[in-house]
Amino acid sequence: MVFSSIDFIFKFLPAFLLVYAICPAAWKNGCLFFGSLIFYFYGVKDQPVYIVLFLCSVGVNYVLGVLIGNVRGQKKKWLRIGLIYNFFWLILFKYSGFLAENVNQLLAAAGIGLTVPVYRPVLPIGISFYTFQAAAYLIDLYRGRTAYEGSLIDFGAYLSMFPKLVAGPIAVYTSVKKEIKRRKCSMRKIEEGLREFTIGLGLKVLIADQVGGLWKEVGTIGFESISTPLAWMGLAAFSLQIYFDSYGYSLMAQGLGTLLGFRLPGNFDYPYMSLSMTEFWRRWHITLGSWFREYVYIPLGGNRTGWWRTCRNLLTVWLLTGIWHGASWNFILWGLILFLIILIEKSGLGKILNRWPAAGHLYMLFVIPLTWLIFAVTDLPQIGIYLHRLFPFLSGGQGAVYFAGDYLKYGKLYGLSLTAGLIFMTGGPRKLYERWKKSPVSAVLLLAVFWFSIYCIKRGMNDPFLYFQF
């Protein structure tokens, strides 16, 4: 069940909020836990064993949290068991097939007549997100940053909270523990939550899904047959699609959290206005970056252990970031290229870009789409073909299509959504909204956005959230 669906908006959400509102305060966490399990079961109903897997994750991490919090002298043992348990399932479901295929290729290349069985199960929804949150909870307990959660219901409500369950944000336990125990709902929060949810819905359905149609068209035509202008337009479309898809979901999750009395962390801070890739990744998927910084980069030594170890630590983080997004070589290549770009920026380029903002924006206008190309296309040879379309001189002009008129056709079809994306990726519209937020005009506009989004959903003009596949 996705947030941008009729079932969620008009069936699950109203029913849940009604029950949640009439529940006594002492029962609200139980209501949230049970309601979130229903929400999750709807998403995995074709693989019902995954609800058992999730309930086991809740139970096991709860017990291990109690053990880490109570058993002196054995904290490290229980932490290790917890990390092994959590990441075993993530590796099994997400990476086992990829690992087995590559092992088989190595065995074949070595002339060894053995093969490893390839197991590619359907990825449990949200496993990458709830695994990271469970691991962070255990690590924070081990470090003494928080006390263990003594109530199984309260812990289950934290880990299963449906606004963040399937695609983030990655809200660590320490960021919401006070609200788990005591929170207040008010008409002001309800209004704020509904507004944020509507804004996110509009960004997702009216911009991301519409501009994403151009990227689909490019894939349907075939990379070999598109002109250079259309290649750049298609890449711009994907860049806008993944941003508004992810940002829209984040705002919807925050809005839902506010309705329930939680202040979930923001995930995006207008990253396309950055002057460098270093800055970009501080402003894109903020909670994921914070997780890797807090639980991988800093424990490895961060930037305090000399240049070469800093490079090693950065390389580790970016390779893990790439692999986290998918079990495919293009994601590993993507992470490696981001590491190299950021390393170059840390070597001096970043200072130049920050000193000359115009140069920084031009640099990012060029670099961001190219990095998203490696992210979007899983077939490495196809990436090469697309690069030749972007830069015909790479092939000496042989077979290049510079201006075939296709960009005019698709420019007319998608020009409006591309323009909207370019405008809303800046902070300008949000500043206007904040300025006129209390005006009745803003309420009327949001109502129009909501019902037009519903119209598009009913017409089938929307797509699943991209981050669901990660």
Side-chain angles (χ1 to χ4, degrees):
M1 190 187 313
V2 298
F3 295 164
S4 56
S5 68
I6 299 298
D7 283 347
F8 178 82
I9 295 172
F10 291 106
K11 295 179 182 178
F12 174 83
L13 187 59
F16 173 81
L17 290 178
L18 177 61
V19 176
Y20 187 78
I22 63 178
C23 270
W27 294 5
K28 285 194 183 298
N29 283 344
C31 176
L32 177 56
F33 187 21
F34 185 69
S36 296
L37 291 179
I38 295 174
F39 172 85
Y40 191 73
F41 181 77
Y42 186 94
V44 299
K45 59 182 181 296
D46 293 332
Q47 296 88 25
V49 69
Y50 288 170
I51 191 69
V52 177
L53 176 66
F54 179 72
L55 286 171
C56 287
S57 180
V58 172
V60 169
N61 283 286
Y62 167 75
V63 171
L64 289 170
V66 173
L67 291 172
I68 293 172
N70 280 328
V71 181
R72 294 184 178 181
Q74 298 188 47
K75 295 179 183 293
K76 184 175 289 187
K77 181 185 79 170
W78 296 120
L79 174 63
R80 287 174 177 169
I81 291 173
L83 294 179
I84 290 171
Y85 174 84
N86 285 300
F87 287 103
F88 168 79
W89 294 110
L90 182 62
I91 292 170
L92 174 67
F93 284 104
K94 194 168 184 177
Y95 304 107
S96 59
F98 175 70
L99 292 172
E101 287 178 352
N102 283 276
V103 168
N104 287 337
Q105 290 178 9
L106 290 174
L107 292 174
I112 301 174
L114 295 175
T115 57
V116 177
V118 177
Y119 176 54
R120 280 194 174 275
V122 176
L123 186 67
I125 296 173
I127 190 170
S128 298
F129 293 91
Y130 71 70
T131 295
F132 271 34
Q133 291 175 109
Y137 170 69
L138 298 180
I139 294 171
D140 285 343
L141 283 176
Y142 174 77
R143 292 175 175 177
R145 292 186 173 180
T146 186
Y148 71 91
E149 176 52 68
S151 166
L152 176 60
I153 296 297
D154 290 358
F155 180 75
Y158 156 69
L159 198 61
S160 69
M161 194 187 307
F162 72 86
K164 65 175 182 61
L165 176 59
V166 297
I170 301 173
V172 298
Y173 177 73
T174 54
S175 69
V176 297
K177 66 177 182 179
K178 291 182 179 179
E179 292 163 336
I180 285 287
K181 294 302 181 183
R182 182 178 296 177
R183 56 190 180 273
K184 292 182 179 180
C185 295
S186 64
M187 290 305 299
R188 183 186 62 80
K189 285 188 175 182
I190 291 173
E191 180 188 359
E192 180 184 349
L194 290 175
R195 281 174 173 266
E196 291 301 309
F197 181 86
T198 301
I199 293 171
L201 180 67
L203 293 177
K204 157 66 178 169
V205 176
L206 304 182
I207 298 182
D209 291 343
Q210 308 316 312
V211 78
L214 176 54
W215 179 248
K216 287 184 180 178
E217 297 274 12
V218 168
T220 301
I221 295 169
F223 298 162
E224 302 89 347
S225 304
I226 59 176
S227 69
T228 294
L230 183 58
W232 281 103
M233 283 175 57
L235 208 49
F238 179 79
S239 301
L240 293 172
Q241 179 192 13
I242 193 170
Y243 170 58
F244 287 108
D245 187 277
S246 308
Y247 180 40
Y249 180 91
S250 179
L251 286 179
M252 294 169 80
Q254 287 180 272
L256 292 170
T258 303
L259 287 175
L260 304 180
F262 292 90
R263 181 69 64 178
L264 296 181
N267 241 353
F268 297 87
D269 184 20
Y270 302 101
Y272 285 172
M273 303 311 295
S274 303
L275 300 179
S276 66
M277 289 303 290
T278 303
E279 181 186 358
F280 178 91
W281 281 99
R282 291 194 191 110
R283 300 167 70 169
W284 178 282
H285 209 321
I286 297 169
T287 58
L288 178 64
S290 297
W291 196 98
F292 276 115
R293 182 177 63 253
E294 187 66 32
Y295 301 106
V296 178
Y297 183 66
I298 293 177
L300 287 174
N303 58 0
R304 306 184 306 275
T305 55
W307 174 252
W308 290 109
R309 288 190 177 182
T310 298
C311 292
R312 178 205 65 183
N313 299 341
L314 284 171
L315 177 61
T316 301
V317 165
W318 284 108
L319 287 179
L320 288 175
T321 300
I323 293 171
W324 181 88
H325 282 87
S328 176
W329 281 108
N330 72 298
F331 291 112
I332 296 174
L333 177 62
W334 176 71
L336 179 60
I337 288 175
L338 287 175
F339 158 72
L340 292 173
I341 292 172
I342 289 173
L343 190 63
I344 292 170
E345 291 179 357
K346 288 184 176 294
S347 299
L349 177 60
K351 293 181 179 179
I352 297 173
L353 297 173
N354 287 322
R355 186 178 303 169
W356 303 95
H361 287 304
L362 287 174
Y363 162 80
M364 292 299 287
L365 192 65
F366 179 76
V367 173
I368 288 175
L370 292 180
T371 57
W372 283 136
L373 170 64
I374 302 167
F375 183 95
V377 182
T378 58
D379 187 351
L380 296 183
Q382 287 293 311
I383 293 175
I385 294 172
Y386 206 102
L387 285 171
H388 280 87
R389 286 293 171 258
L390 295 172
F391 308 104
F393 59 82
L394 292 176
S395 56
Q398 297 180 358
V401 182
Y402 294 96
F403 298 98
D406 52 4
Y407 68 99
L408 295 174
K409 172 186 174 182
Y410 292 103
K412 292 179 181 178
L413 290 173
Y414 295 98
L416 183 61
S417 55
L418 285 169
T419 302
L422 293 173
I423 293 172
F424 279 86
M425 77 178 191
T426 71
R430 184 72 192 201
K431 289 179 181 178
L432 286 174
Y433 168 73
E434 293 295 339
R435 182 177 178 181
W436 297 98
K437 187 175 181 178
K438 296 181 180 180
S439 168
V441 175
S442 70
V444 172
L445 287 175
L446 287 179
L447 280 173
V449 167
F450 176 80
W451 287 111
F452 190 41
S453 298
I454 296 300
Y455 169 77
C456 291
I457 294 170
K458 287 288 290 183
R459 290 287 303 273
M461 298 166 65
N462 67 305
D463 294 307
F465 290 94
L466 294 178
Y467 259 77
F468 278 17
Q469 62 188 294
F470 306 134

